[in-house]
């Protein structure tokens, strides 16, 4: 059986994550995201690949969402309410709580403010969320008789999970986005050591290895402090959930220590709402936050206030967290238009910005002007600072997870093609694991594990119960192996249960005659002195005993000798079919016609070489 991995989104790109995996007849959709940098038909995955008729209920066994970011959940209301999928949808409790906030915020920005076509409504979002079945960490869910799933902590953002899925003996893990290191408010990803046929991993930072976070934090704080100390305004475009909380904790603590009186603002009630959920879901945060929560809630920020739109043109310095991130639309882009022309101001971009967004344009160089979505241009005289606080794991984290899980195959998604290809080469060469980097619309097929239940014959069990130890010495230790099961043969007959038998039983089980393979060679040996035939056999026996270590017991008669299955008899034929190279006319040479079984292959050739030394 094969596992088929169809990539509908995030294939050789970052955006609209959507991977459909078929395991033993079960189709699972992992994530259902949208592309933040597209405003055409490429915004959503091409669901028609799954079903031309639109019958998704009979095509998809279930949908699993790993976290609340729009590039992982943004297309879900469209898929369920517009395309008509009514099957089970799974996500963690925090993701179920926070996804409606993110989806509604996005809908409001794109439709109410930018006037774009409404692809799903507020009612669609509510109806979609009613279909969701929440997951707990390490809770095994039996989706149907054959398919089971289990969620593991992924770090990254509040409620993010990796997903283990198993059908029969075949098993995979889909990571979604994850972080292998702890940050200020979330722990590192945790997963059991599992037997996997396939690992599907994100690869956002496929070639980046990050050092300590403390120099990056210091650099960010110094950049913001320098801006406000000089009378400027610092804009930090960020999504309401995730990096906003991380950076707020950092700035709030710094403001307290430095006794800075410059205001820090959140741009919308959404973030205030989000902080309320963070306070409620402390169990999903880092150990550091849990310990602090005993005395006070770390998300009760002393220096952070709600922002009023009238303050955009207010004089004086400030720090503003404005949604959404990447400067892709909404209030953050509106503030950017007003603040970018001033050289006193600062735009600090946390994490990755998808291609096509204004954030990506700013990170790609030092533009003096930027074209916005509606065709207007903005002069950029402010300072641009990229904040390296991405919640994604780096190249070392991806390698560490892959090494820990040791899957039979790995598929990389959610990354940029050149970096992904470099990581693929690294995984293949260092870990010797087949690695694939499919593009959108491509399918990767890998073999799946199938265990066969088999009975065992009495003879085989008896042989297994008798130890068959082999001892070997290395430079540091004695190595002992037990090869007692090496003689087992798996027999699978039509309409019968598989059976393991001893090799000596195979012919009987299959009702066939024994077929014995043996080797034969007419070996030339030199006669020393006046030895007769008996004396020659004696000489050869002594020679074999001295030089062949595995020749335990040698049996002699007047004209032949035997060791195990090896038999050698003096050959009186003028021409023998087993004789090669030396003529029988030589008076000092006699021939021993030998044959032995394949089981004693090494022994037989060892004896032949010993006798040839007599020439």
């Amino acid at each position: 059986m094969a596992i088929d991995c169809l990539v509908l989104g995030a294939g050789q790109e970052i955006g609209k994550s959507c991977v459909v995996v078929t395991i033993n007849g079960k189709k699972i959709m992992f994530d259902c995201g949208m592309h933040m940098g597209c405003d055409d038909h490429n915004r959503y995955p091409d669901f028609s690949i799954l079903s031309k008729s639109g019958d998704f209920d009979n095509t998809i066994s279930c949908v699993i969402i790993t976290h609340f970011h729009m590039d992982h959940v943004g297309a879900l209301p469209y898929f369920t309410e517009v395309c008509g999928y009514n099957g089970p949808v799974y996500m963690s409790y925090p993701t179920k709580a926070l996804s409606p906030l993110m989806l509604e915020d996005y809908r409001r920005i794109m439709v109410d403010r930018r006037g774009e076509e409404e692809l799903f409504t507020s009612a669609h979002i509510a109806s979609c969320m009613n279909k969701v079945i929440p997951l707990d960490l390490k809770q095994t869910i039996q989706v149907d008789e054959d398919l089971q799933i289990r969620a593991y902590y992924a770090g990254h953002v509040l409620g993010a999970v990796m997903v283990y899925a198993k059908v029969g003996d075949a098993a995979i893990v889909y990571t979604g986005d994850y972080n292998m290191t702890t940050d200020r408010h979330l722990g590192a990803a945790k997963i059991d050591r599992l037997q996997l046929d396939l690992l599907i991993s994100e690869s956002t930072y496929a070639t980046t290895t990050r050092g300590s976070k403390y120099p990056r934090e210091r650099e960010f704080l110094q950049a913001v402090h320098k801006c406000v100390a000089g009378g400027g305004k610092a804009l930090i475009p960020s999504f309401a959930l995730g990096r906003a909380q991380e950076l707020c904790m950092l700035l709030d603590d710094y403001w307290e220590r430095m006794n800075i009186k410059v205001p820090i603002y959140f741009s919308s009630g959404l973030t205030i709402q989000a902080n309320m959920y963070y306070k409620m879901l402390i169990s999903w945060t880092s150990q550091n936050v849990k310990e602090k929560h005993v005395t006070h809630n770390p998300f009760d920020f002393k220096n952070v206030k709600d922002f009023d739109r009238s303050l955009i043109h207010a004089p004086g310095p400030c720090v503003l967290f404005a949604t959404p991130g990447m400067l892709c639309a909404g209030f953050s882009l509106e503030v950017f238009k007003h603040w970018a022309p001033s050289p006193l101001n600062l735009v600090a971009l946390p994490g990755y910005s998808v291609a096509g967004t204004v954030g990506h344009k700013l990170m790609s160089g030092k533009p003096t002007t930027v074209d916005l979505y509606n065709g207007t241009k903005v002069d950029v005289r402010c300072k641009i600072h990229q904040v390296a606080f991405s919640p994604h794991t780096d190249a070392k984290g991806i390698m560490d997870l892959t090494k820990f899980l040791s899957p039979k195959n790995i598929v990389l998604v959610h990354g940029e093609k050149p970096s992904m290809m470099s990581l693929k080469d690294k995984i293949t060469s260092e870990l010797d694991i087949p690695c694939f980097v499919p593009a959108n619309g491509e399918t990767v097929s890998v073999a799946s594990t199938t265990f066969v239940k088999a009975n065992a014959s009495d003879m085989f069990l008896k042989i297994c119960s008798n130890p068959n130890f082999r001892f070997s010495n290395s430079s540091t230790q004695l190595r002992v192996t037990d090869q007692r099961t090496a003689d087992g043969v798996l027999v699978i007959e039509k309409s019968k249960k598989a059976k393991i038998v001893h090799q000596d039983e195979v012919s009987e089980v299959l009702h066939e005659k024994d077929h014995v393979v043996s080797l034969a060679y007419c070996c030339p040996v030199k006669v020393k002195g006046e030895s007769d035939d008996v004396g020659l056999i004696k000489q050869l026996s002594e020679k074999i005993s001295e030089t062949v270590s595995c020749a335990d017991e040698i049996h002699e008669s007047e004209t032949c000798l035997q060791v195990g299955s090896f038999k050698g008899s003096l050959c009186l034929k003028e021409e023998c079919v087993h004789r090669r190279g030396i003529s029988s006319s030589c008076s000092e040479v006699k021939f021993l016609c030998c044959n032995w079984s394949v089981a004693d292959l090494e022994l037989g050739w060892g004896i032949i070489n010993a006798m040839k030394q007599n020439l």
Side-chain angles (χ1 to χ4, degrees), residues 1 27 144 161 193 271 318 321 380 439 443 465 469 551 599 613:
M1 297 290 287
K27 269 190 171 63
D144 58 28
V161 294
R193 197 183 295 274
T271 308
C318 70
F321 287 89
V380 180
T443 299
S465 66
F469 294 126
Q613 291 175 19

Side-chain angles (χ1 to χ4, degrees), residues 493 496 505-514:
E493 296 181 88
K496 291 185 179 180
E505 298 179 281
V506 174
S507 299
E508 181 183 345
V509 170
L510 299 179
H511 310 294
E512 296 285 348
K513 293 180 180 179
D514 281 336

Side-chain angles (χ1 to χ4, degrees), residues 412-432:
L412 297 178
V413 293
H414 200 286
E416 295 176 334
K417 185 177 179 180
S419 300
M420 297 170 84
M421 299 308 290
S422 296
L423 181 59
K424 172 189 173 181
D425 292 341
K426 187 178 176 69
I427 290 170
T428 304
S429 61
E430 294 186 15
L431 303 181
D432 195 26

Side-chain angles (χ1 to χ4, degrees), residues 86-227:
N86 289 300
V89 179
Y90 296 92
M91 60 181 70
S92 71
Y93 280 93
T95 303
K96 183 177 181 180
L98 296 168
S99 290
L101 304 181
M102 299 292 285
L103 289 163
E104 179 56 35
D105 190 53
Y106 170 78
R107 188 208 64 76
R108 180 172 48 81
I109 290 169
M110 303 308 288
V111 177
D112 296 350
R113 293 192 187 170
R114 283 178 54 173
E116 291 193 5
E117 179 187 357
E118 188 170 56
L119 296 176
F120 56 80
T121 65
S122 297
H124 284 154
I125 295 171
S127 178
C128 171
M129 288 299 122
N130 286 335
K131 294 181 171 72
V132 172
I133 303 166
L135 289 169
D136 251 334
L137 289 175
K138 291 196 173 184
Q139 176 190 10
T140 299
I141 298 286
Q142 201 72 38
V143 177
D144 58 28
E145 187 178 347
D146 303 308
L147 170 61
Q148 63 175 225
I149 60 174
R150 189 159 62 244
Y152 290 93
Y153 189 82
H156 186 64
V157 293
L158 193 72
V161 294
M162 300 178 176
V163 183
Y164 169 76
K166 185 179 181 184
V167 180
D169 299 318
I172 73 162
V173 161
Y174 175 83
T175 66
D177 294 348
Y178 64 103
N179 196 352
M180 294 293 283
T181 56
T182 302
D183 60 26
R184 284 179 173 264
H185 77 296
L186 295 174
K190 296 176 185 175
I191 191 168
D192 296 331
R193 197 183 295 274
L194 303 163
Q195 296 293 321
L196 300 178
D197 296 293
L198 178 63
L199 171 67
I200 305 170
S201 174
E202 70 130 312
S203 52
T204 311
Y205 291 101
T207 55
T208 301
T209 301
R210 290 190 286 267
S212 169
K213 67 179 179 180
Y214 299 110
R216 300 197 303 273
E217 290 181 347
R218 185 168 57 250
E219 184 183 352
F220 165 70
L221 292 171
Q222 287 174 347
V224 174
H225 193 175
K226 183 178 179 181
C227 170

